[in-house]
Amino acid sequence: EVADEDTSPLTNNSWYFEPQQGVGWAQHKGETMFDRYRREQNEEGEDAWAPFENAEEWGLAQWLVKNLGQKQTDEFLKLPITQNRSKLPFHNNRSFLQKVGELPHGPAWNCTKVTVRGNRENENGELLEEDVDLWSRDPVECVKELIGNPSFKADMAYTPARAYSDPAGEHRLIDEMWTADWWCEKQSTLPDGATIAPIILSSDKTSLSQFRGDKSAWPVYMSIGNIAKAKRRQTSARATVLIGYLPAGKLDCFTPEACSLAGYRLFHHCMGLLLHPLIAAGNDGVDMVCADSWIRRVYPILAAYVADFPEQCLVSCCKENRCPKCLVGANDRGEVLDSVMRDPESTKDILEKRKNGQHPVEFEDNGLRAVYRPFWADLPHTDIFLAFTPDLLHQIHKGVFKDHLVKWCVEIIGEEEMDARFKAIPNYPGLRHFKKGISTVKQWTGSEHKEMQRVFIGLLTGAVPSRVLVVARSILDFSYYAQLHIHTAESLKALQAALEVFHANKDVLKELGICDHFNIPKLHQLTHYVHSISLFGAADGFNTELPEHLHIDFAKDAYHASNKREYEEQMVLWLQRQEAIFLRSTYLDWLSHQPAEAAVTHTTPADNLGVIRVLAKIPAHPHQSVQNIVGAHGATDFLPALQSFLQMNLPHNTIVPGPQDCFDIYHQIVIVAPPAFQVGEVPMSRQIRATPVKLASGRKAGSPARFDMALISVGPRSLQPHSLDGLRVAQIRVIFSLPRQFGEYLRALAYIEWFTPFRAPDPSSRMRQVSRSTRQ
């Protein structure tokens, strides 16, 4: 029998909060948008499905908008069977869309024409001009919609608070934005009772046409830090909204030499127009009805900007050979330096002097571009350089790990040997098996990078020099600490220590002739992680993976629904209809599940769920003989081990197991453990298999034996997290249930083969070695 695992100190709900006083005052009750919908329907005598007649008609409308284009919808509605049997009030696509148009939707879209005057001349010697479109929605109205959405009520915070794991307040926890430092510090600059809505922006240019054409879009997304990061990460929750499409044209009215700078200036001009309503709202505040139905004075302030490195340089008005956050030298980014952070006021002053014809030396020293009016110049309480958050996808997974560490190691051991080691890794549940190696993979995803990281250190052991192993381990240690969902002072210290270990050992790569320098932008960005996490919370709340997922819904699908000509107007109209359907669906769900009246200010980890074992209701192989178990499963000492177990656990049993007995055999058992809230919010499921060889039968291919390894509890567990004390490795040979003649035993049993106790960690890899034990 396998004993229950102990839970980590952070897998319970014993969190202690110290709220900041005098902030987030609720003035009086208000009416949320769902309350308003219900009141208006009651006044008009309509039911919840209006303008549709009933639930069936509403369900059809949902399906049509989500799954069919306008042409297919028209064809469906004109089918004789649809018209004769359904008796719908809409008979073609036009009348159907009129019905959809009666549904409430989010803030309206506006198109602003921007005229760009280039530096190229036409045949008459006149400068060429180009008109581009900026599609936008009022960001303040979008904040009202987000902070007032009743479906986010349980995931919403209005005040900052310091979180601790102990009642004395000695062990601080940082996870959500409201538990970090920026929010607390910013409250002191605002009037008493103010509620901050921390704006989280992200922008990323994306291609729309896959195989031909050069169509592209430049979406700008927005969310607020009041909403829990787990909810923000759910694309289906729509806690991140689209607020604009920036012009994404080629600017042919400029010469190639001037086009890059013109693109910088156009970006900032359009972002300035898009975010202009935030200036007055951030200075004076706006009364908003919040998700808990209370009205608060809300100050929407740009706090975080999620973008990849080129986009960060674009936003900060700096060259791409410089850091968008600090003033480190162009050739010093490979060193550990305490560089001065960029300052918005001094940067604006330098750009203003440059605009007036002066040539301040700081312009070149700071690596600035001649963008004279950055969009963030007038945004109140905003430090755009601090706003850039860690980018786990591009900086760690695709950047330092895949583009650099893997490349360095392949150069050391060779591509063939690297592939051979990946192929040799045994199949195990939860681990990806790269059965063809990695050299043939052309398109990598973030999840594939993470799968490589899980086995990379073990794979390198014995193949690279020990100092290279230390370099690899330090990068992966940094990666895993950076991905934690909850941080403590100890985890942030370990995060910084991992980076220091890398820099202390990196020169071995120069000595081996693998690389000439470490002046790598993405490597330098890691020096800002600890500060950013302390300011804004755990990095998982700001990953660029979310905007890339949103591109599918808000850009690519919208484009494919258009006729590909003047597509942006069609895209926003299509998105408005999708939004209307989503809002009505959310409203109907709200009507049927009224939320509790008590406001939830802070979310805390869920209660301890305990360990659950999941076994098939029917055994895969019932009534198996001992001879078959010994032969097929390699359980050579099955009977002696069972006898020993019965003597210890069922001492009143008088029947001695023998070759005549039969046992019900199971293929696997699934262990569901409580969530480890440092790395996720869902329970952890572990599959353990014990399946013998399956021979090929007809067209069905056979499969090899799978006898998985598992950690077995053999004694008291250490209170230290990540400790292996009290655990041993064993191979699971048989999973079976005890026949009733031996007594009543409710749990399934497993026959295992022990491995030796863990040896001391290897000084380079920090991994522990085991070998098959001769004593069973």
Side-chain angles (χ1 to χ4, degrees):
E1 181 191 1
V2 180
D4 289 353
E5 296 184 4
D6 291 341
T7 57
S8 164
L10 293 183
T11 59
N12 53 58
N13 61 352
S14 56
W15 284 42
Y16 302 89
F17 292 99
E18 182 187 334
Q20 189 165 348
Q21 300 299 317
V23 300
W25 291 350
Q27 300 173 9
H28 53 85
K29 280 283 187 176
E31 188 180 48
T32 67
M33 58 180 177
F34 288 175
D35 290 323
R36 186 176 71 253
Y37 295 165
R38 181 168 56 180
R39 175 178 55 78
E40 290 173 352
Q41 286 184 332
N42 290 337
E43 290 174 353
E44 296 294 328
E46 299 174 339
D47 60 24
W49 318 107
F52 302 97
E53 292 184 1
N54 50 46
E56 291 181 349
E57 191 175 298
W58 158 248
L60 176 63
Q62 269 189 303
W63 182 81
L64 290 174
V65 170
K66 290 182 178 180
N67 297 284
L68 298 187
Q70 295 191 44
K71 182 179 179 181
Q72 293 90 338
T73 299
D74 201 55
E75 292 175 352
F76 174 80
L77 293 175
K78 288 181 178 179
L79 287 173
I81 192 171
T82 305
Q83 294 189 350
N84 296 333
R85 295 192 182 182
S86 301
K87 305 298 182 183
L88 296 170
F90 38 86
H91 306 294
N92 54 36
N93 182 65
R94 183 171 177 274
S95 59
F96 171 66
L97 292 182
Q98 287 176 342
K99 279 280 186 183
V100 175
E102 295 177 31
L103 292 171
H105 55 76
W109 283 92
N110 298 292
C111 180
T112 303
K113 292 286 184 183
V114 178
T115 301
V116 181
R117 175 171 292 184
N119 65 343
R120 294 177 59 185
E121 297 179 348
N122 60 17
E123 60 274 9
N124 298 324
E126 299 170 337
L127 292 177
L128 292 174
E129 292 184 350
E130 186 174 334
D131 288 335
V132 296
D133 292 340
L134 166 66
W135 286 91
S136 63
R137 300 203 286 180
D138 188 331
V140 176
E141 293 301 315
C142 291
V143 171
K144 287 182 180 179
E145 185 178 78
L146 287 171
I147 204 169
N149 191 330
S151 62
F152 298 148
K153 180 179 177 180
D155 302 286
M156 191 77 70
Y158 307 106
T159 61
R162 288 180 177 265
Y164 301 94
S165 62
D166 64 300
E170 295 179 355
H171 303 285
R172 189 179 174 192
L173 304 173
I174 296 176
D175 65 338
E176 298 287 355
M177 203 175 201
W178 58 79
T179 67
D181 293 338
W182 178 90
W183 198 332
C184 292
E185 294 170 1
K186 201 59 64 177
Q187 285 284 176
S188 62
T189 65
L190 297 176
D192 290 343
T195 300
I196 292 180
I199 302 293
I200 304 170
L201 288 182
S202 57
S203 60
D204 182 34
K205 193 174 183 179
T206 185
S207 175
L208 298 175
S209 48
Q210 292 181 331
F211 305 109
R212 58 190 176 88
D214 55 355
K215 307 297 185 183
S216 58
W218 203 329
V220 181
Y221 305 109
M222 187 188 77
S223 187
I224 53 176
N226 311 79
I227 303 173
K229 58 186 179 178
K231 181 64 69 173
R232 296 201 308 267
R233 286 198 303 268
Q234 296 175 13
T235 55
S236 60
R238 295 192 178 234
T240 299
V241 297
L242 178 72
I243 64 168
Y245 284 123
L246 302 178
K250 292 185 177 180
L251 299 182
D252 293 327
C253 57
F254 288 93
T255 60
E257 301 79 25
C259 195
S260 175
L261 180 58
Y264 265 62
R265 291 173 173 172
L266 178 61
F267 171 86
H268 281 269
H269 177 72
C270 291
M271 284 292 287
L273 295 174
L274 176 63
L275 302 180
H276 185 264
L278 291 178
I279 297 175
N283 279 319
D284 305 326
V286 179
D287 285 345
M288 297 187 185
V289 180
C290 298
D292 60 358
S293 299
W294 285 96
I295 294 177
R296 294 176 174 85
R297 191 70 175 178
V298 177
Y299 291 75
I301 298 171
L302 176 56
Y305 204 115
V306 181
D308 59 17
F309 180 75
E311 196 98 355
Q312 289 182 7
C313 294
L314 172 63
V315 171
S316 63
C317 307
C318 77
K319 299 176 181 177
E320 290 192 17
N321 66 343
R322 303 300 296 270
C323 174
K325 291 179 70 72
C326 73
L327 295 175
V328 65
N331 299 318
D332 298 329
R333 289 174 294 177
E335 306 302 323
V336 182
L337 301 173
D338 189 15
S339 301
V340 177
M341 297 296 291
R342 293 182 182 270
D343 177 64
E345 294 305 319
S346 62
T347 301
K348 287 189 289 185
D349 184 57
I350 294 167
L351 293 174
E352 185 65 24
K353 289 179 180 178
R354 181 78 172 189
K355 178 183 178 181
N356 295 333
Q358 303 178 40
H359 297 279
V361 65
E362 296 90 350
F363 182 84
E364 294 297 336
D365 290 346
N366 295 357
L368 297 175
R369 301 291 297 267
V371 179
Y372 301 130
R373 198 63 185 167
F375 74 83
W376 39 263
D378 295 324
L379 291 177
H381 312 292
T382 294
D383 187 332
I384 196 65
F385 307 116
L386 288 181
F388 299 126
T389 53
D391 180 1
L392 298 175
L393 177 63
H394 295 99
Q395 291 170 358
I396 292 184
H397 301 313
K398 289 185 177 180
V400 175
F401 175 71
K402 178 61 177 64
D403 293 342
H404 298 289
L405 178 61
V406 174
K407 180 182 176 183
W408 295 334
C409 293
V410 167
E411 290 188 29
I412 292 173
I413 69 176
E415 188 176 273
E416 186 176 343
E417 176 64 17
M418 182 70 79
D419 282 342
R421 286 176 172 257
F422 269 105
K423 293 175 186 177
I425 295 175
N427 181 288
Y428 191 82
L431 290 180
R432 173 165 177 175
H433 184 212
F434 293 87
K435 56 185 178 182
K436 295 183 180 180
I438 61 171
S439 61
T440 58
V441 181
K442 302 302 179 185
Q443 284 277 44
W444 288 94
T445 65
S447 60
E448 287 170 329
H449 296 142
K450 296 171 190 176
E451 294 293 344
M452 287 177 64
Q453 291 172 28
R454 298 177 72 179
V455 300
F456 202 64
I457 296 299
L459 179 143
L460 291 180
T461 303
V464 298
S466 59
R467 287 181 64 196
V468 175
L469 201 57
V470 172
V471 167
R473 175 178 56 79
S474 64
I475 289 177
L476 289 179
D477 281 350
F478 188 95
S479 173
Y480 282 114
Y481 279 117
Q483 293 176 69
L484 291 179
H485 293 198
I486 299 173
H487 278 280
T488 63
E490 291 74 20
S491 69
L492 292 177
K493 184 178 179 180
L495 180 66
Q496 187 62 33
L499 188 60
E500 292 170 358
V501 169
F502 168 80
H503 284 289
N505 293 273
K506 66 186 178 185
D507 286 343
V508 66
L509 298 171
K510 286 185 179 180
E511 296 167 9
L512 294 172
I514 301 302
C515 64
D516 301 324
H517 66 85
F518 297 96
N519 191 33
I520 302 168
K522 292 173 182 176
L523 179 61
H524 168 74
Q525 293 299 308
L526 306 189
T527 63
H528 298 299
Y529 271 46
V530 171
H531 188 212
S532 289
I533 292 170
S534 299
L535 282 177
F536 299 114
D540 66 295
F542 305 98
N543 203 348
T544 52
E545 287 187 64
L546 175 61
E548 296 203 357
H549 285 304
L550 293 176
H551 285 340
I552 299 173
D553 294 331
F554 293 121
K556 299 180 187 296
D557 285 352
Y559 173 73
H560 293 307
S562 72
N563 64 9
K564 315 302 185 294
R565 294 186 297 273
E566 297 182 355
Y567 52 86
E568 286 184 330
E569 182 175 1
Q570 300 172 56
M571 288 169 67
V572 298
L573 185 57
W574 183 84
L575 287 170
Q576 184 170 287
R577 291 171 183 146
Q578 296 287 328
E579 185 178 58
I581 292 291
F582 176 80
L583 276 176
R584 178 48 56 94
S585 176
T586 309
Y587 166 66
L588 292 173
D589 184 64
W590 173 81
L591 275 181
S592 60
H593 302 92
Q594 282 295 316
E597 289 299 319
V600 178
T601 305
H602 300 287
T603 58
T604 59
D607 292 337
N608 185 357
L609 302 178
V611 176
I612 302 171
R613 297 168 182 82
V614 181
L615 202 66
K617 292 182 179 180
I618 301 174
H621 301 289
H623 309 299
Q624 295 296 300
S625 67
V626 172
Q627 180 182 0
N628 185 50
I629 291 172
V630 172
H633 290 259
T636 53
D637 294 325
F638 181 80
L639 285 177
L642 181 58
Q643 260 185 322
S644 176
F645 173 83
L646 291 174
Q647 291 171 2
M648 293 179 62
N649 293 275
L650 295 171
H652 299 297
N653 168 64
T654 58
I655 302 176
V656 178
Q660 73 281 357
D661 292 309
C662 292
F663 299 84
D664 291 341
I665 305 300
Y666 297 85
H667 274 169
Q668 67 177 24
I669 187 169
V670 177
I671 309 295
V672 182
F677 288 99
Q678 303 97 320
V679 296
E681 295 85 14
V682 296
M684 298 179 293
S685 178
R686 301 179 178 119
Q687 177 189 14
I688 302 172
R689 304 167 300 180
T691 59
V693 172
K694 183 179 181 181
L695 300 177
S697 175
R699 294 184 178 182
K700 292 184 178 181
S703 59
R706 306 289 189 200
F707 300 114
D708 290 333
M709 308 294 175
L711 286 174
I712 309 297
S713 178
V714 294
R717 292 292 309 279
S718 170
L719 295 178
Q720 294 295 322
H722 319 302
S723 171
L724 293 174
D725 294 342
L727 296 175
R728 279 185 69 178
V729 175
Q731 187 173 28
I732 312 301
R733 285 286 181 177
V734 188
I735 301 171
F736 65 101
S737 58
L738 189 69
R740 292 194 174 185
Q741 66 263 28
F742 299 112
E744 187 174 356
Y745 200 83
L746 300 179
R747 292 183 178 179
L749 301 177
Y751 174 85
I752 64 175
E753 291 183 351
W754 288 112
F755 279 64
T756 57
F758 289 107
R759 300 168 192 167
D762 177 80
S764 301
S765 68
R766 297 283 177 88
M767 300 186 75
R768 296 172 179 263
Q769 290 184 329
V770 295
S771 57
R772 197 172 292 275
S773 177
T774 57
R775 297 180 183 179
Q776 299 293 330

